[in-house]
Amino acid sequence: MTKYSSRYASSPEAVKKYDTQQLREEFLIDDLMQEDEVVLVYSHYDRYIAGSAVPVKGDLVLETIDPLKAPYFLERRELGIINVGGSGSVVVEGTTYELGFKDALYIGAGNKEVVFKSDDSSNPAKFYLNSAPAHTTYPTKKVSLAEANKLQLGTMETANHRTVNQMIIGSVVTTCQLQMGMTELKPGSVWNTMPAHVHDRRMEVYFYLDIPQDQAVCHFMGQPQETRHIWMSNHQAVISPPWSIHSGSGTSNYTFIWGMAGENLDYGDMDVCKITDLR
């Protein structure tokens, strides 16, 4: 079963006037990882799609949705997948790719059949999905967590010591515009993406995981001089417009998956905001 919803783009001037409920309705994705369903959110920021697939009782098929106006989902799109649950597999045009916990898979445009499977229904795979428009077909490729390009950033002193795992990114996988990776915070560190930044040429979606029970992450967004916050729980995602910072602090350490698309594939294309200038 597939269900989807759409989110329209909001201007920074409009967001300044949002209350908590409206801010959450516009940017928070809080219904992911539903058993035996493919859940998709179609954002009008760069036509990005974030979603999930959790096969339990049987396999799940990636089906097209009406906003795509396409006979199959990947006719004009590419897809990134990271498994955040038990072992499973993704079958692409008859070829099976086994995905363990935190393994990734890139699927290029033009693939008509994508099927999600779990190895054990009592510990199902939980596939987190990101998709962006694509105008060229590139090969499907699996990237295990061990194969990711790893960056060690931050320090314990500033509570942001973290490992950035670049997985679906130019130095690892050839894509049209989609980029995905996973940042794991060390014990004792709680801040992600600080100093904060914006990148006007790309939008981004954050998906938070490994948040312990009864803990939470406060995600910060908005223009640097007009910030807002959204409290988030495990396995929730948040849409970040190109004009917005995207940063967070948790009540414990955690992990988040970042995905982005837009004007270019330059990972370092960003405008850093001084911490003391944030408002």
Side-chain angles (χ1 to χ4, degrees), residues 92-241:
V92 183
E93 299 284 11
T95 300
T96 299
Y97 298 88
E98 303 286 344
L99 296 184
F101 184 53
K102 295 184 177 179
D103 287 344
L105 180 68
Y106 170 79
I107 305 176
N111 287 286
K112 295 182 178 180
E113 182 187 54
V114 178
V115 182
F116 303 101
K117 300 173 177 283
S118 291
D119 292 351
D120 182 359
S121 61
S122 65
N123 182 28
K126 296 180 179 179
F127 299 108
Y128 176 60
L129 318 176
N130 279 190
S131 176
H135 305 291
T136 302
T137 297
Y138 289 114
T140 298
K141 182 177 180 180
K142 173 186 172 180
V143 181
S144 69
L145 183 61
E147 294 171 321
N149 183 40
K150 299 181 184 294
L151 306 176
Q152 302 298 325
L153 300 178
T155 66
M156 288 296 295
E157 289 76 12
T158 51
N160 66 349
H161 192 201
R162 60 200 188 273
T163 300
V164 178
N165 300 283
Q166 297 177 327
M167 304 181 81
I168 299 175
I169 193 168
S171 59
V172 181
V173 180
T174 302
T175 71
C176 287
Q177 62 169 322
L178 180 66
Q179 298 183 72
M180 289 181 74
M182 183 185 312
T183 299
E184 300 171 300
L185 275 76
K186 308 286 187 181
S189 286
V190 295
W191 277 102
N192 76 66
T193 323
M194 186 57 70
H197 63 261
V198 297
H199 29 69
D200 196 49
R201 292 153 295 280
R202 294 198 304 269
M203 62 82 66
E204 196 158 357
V205 175
Y206 274 14
F207 172 79
Y208 287 96
L209 66 148
D210 294 342
I211 301 175
Q213 188 174 5
D214 299 324
Q215 303 299 313
V217 171
C218 187
H219 181 86
F220 294 88
M221 64 165 295
Q223 292 176 297
Q225 283 73 48
E226 192 77 34
T227 60
R228 300 289 185 269
H229 68 270
I230 298 176
W231 283 98
M232 299 183 61
S233 302
N234 199 47
H235 289 176
Q236 293 183 341
V238 61
I239 298 168
S240 179

Side-chain angles (χ1 to χ4, degrees), residues 9-125:
S10 302
S11 74
E13 290 301 316
V15 173
K16 290 178 183 181
K17 302 176 179 64
Y18 288 179
D19 61 14
T20 298
Q21 180 178 348
Q22 189 170 8
L23 196 70
R24 293 173 70 87
E25 288 175 352
E26 291 286 337
F27 299 105
L28 178 66
I29 303 173
D30 61 359
D31 60 348
L32 297 175
M33 301 303 166
Q34 297 187 32
E35 293 187 355
D36 294 310
E37 286 189 336
V38 176
V39 178
L40 302 171
V41 174
Y42 181 97
S43 170
H44 283 255
Y45 289 112
D46 287 299
R47 308 291 170 171
Y48 203 85
I49 293 177
S52 63
V54 184
V56 178
K57 296 178 182 178
D59 301 344
L60 289 174
V61 177
L62 182 64
E63 301 172 329
T64 190
I65 57 176
D66 186 64
L68 303 184
K69 299 295 188 286
Y72 58 96
F73 190 91
L74 294 178
E75 184 189 36
R76 300 183 300 271
R77 285 188 161 269
E78 55 190 352
L79 177 68
I81 303 167
I82 297 180
N83 181 16
V84 299
S87 297
S89 59
V90 180
V91 181
V92 183
E93 299 284 11
T95 300
T96 299
Y97 298 88
E98 303 286 344
L99 296 184
F101 184 53
K102 295 184 177 179
D103 287 344
L105 180 68
Y106 170 79
I107 305 176
N111 287 286
K112 295 182 178 180
E113 182 187 54
V114 178
V115 182
F116 303 101
K117 300 173 177 283
S118 291
D119 292 351
D120 182 359
S121 61
S122 65
N123 182 28

